[in-house]
Amino acid sequence: MEIRIKTGDNVYSLEAFVKNIGNDLLVSIFGGQRPHIGAVAVALPRPSLKDPKVRSATASVFCYPGHKEDVIAKEAAERLSAALDTNVTVTAGAHWDNIDQSGIRTVLKSNRQLIAMIIKRISGSFPESTL
């Protein structure tokens, strides 16, 4: 399975390329004026620490110096892994010149929309997670 999804056509929209690698999921999130790879996160599903009946995920992140995409990559990897019950690797890289705090909030909102769109496309629903 390979899919490509975009959050919309606004200035701070994000795009993702999603591919199954065996039972695992590889996701690349990018956007802005200079898409790149700024961070990589890997996550694996596990029972929630609060309630073992609920699925959650644990992630590790590598971020290149000077990049801020670790937040995007970690949130996407954890939510996707928990919701889809699979190992997930996410690369993230998006750059907008002179982005302000409002723009950053919009990018993070676009990331959450993108995650929900991926989950819906793959599973056909919006599973709850403890993240």
Side-chain angles (χ1 to χ4, degrees):
M1 178 261 328
E2 291 184 25
I3 57 175
R4 195 167 186 143
I5 297 176
K6 187 174 181 182
T7 58
D9 290 324
N10 66 48
V11 174
Y12 299 117
S13 64
L14 291 172
E15 193 168 347
F17 174 76
V18 183
K19 180 173 178 56
N20 278 104
I21 308 292
N23 292 325
D24 302 326
L25 196 63
L26 176 63
V27 180
S28 178
I29 298 174
F30 50 93
Q33 296 148 331
R34 288 189 299 282
H36 58 281
I37 298 174
V40 177
V42 295
L44 68 152
R46 61 164 173 76
S48 167
L49 299 175
K50 292 180 182 176
D51 181 356
K53 297 175 194 156
V54 176
R55 190 171 48 235
S56 188
T58 295
S60 294
V61 182
F62 177 83
C63 191
Y64 287 107
H67 291 265
K68 305 288 185 184
E69 290 88 359
D70 52 319
V71 173
I72 291 171
K74 186 175 191 285
E75 181 176 23
E78 286 179 338
R79 289 182 184 243
L80 292 168
S81 180
L84 301 171
D85 195 25
T86 192
N87 294 337
V88 176
T89 297
V90 174
T91 67
H95 177 86
W96 291 269
D97 290 334
N98 304 311
I99 190 170
D100 60 12
Q101 288 299 314
S102 174
I104 292 169
R105 283 190 298 274
T106 303
V107 169
L108 295 176
K109 182 179 177 183
S110 291
N111 190 50
R112 288 186 291 278
Q113 285 179 311
L114 194 64
I115 294 164
M117 292 165 69
I118 293 167
I119 292 168
K120 183 177 181 185
R121 190 78 164 283
I122 292 173
S123 71
S125 65
F126 290 96
E128 294 296 318
S129 93
T130 61
L131 301 175

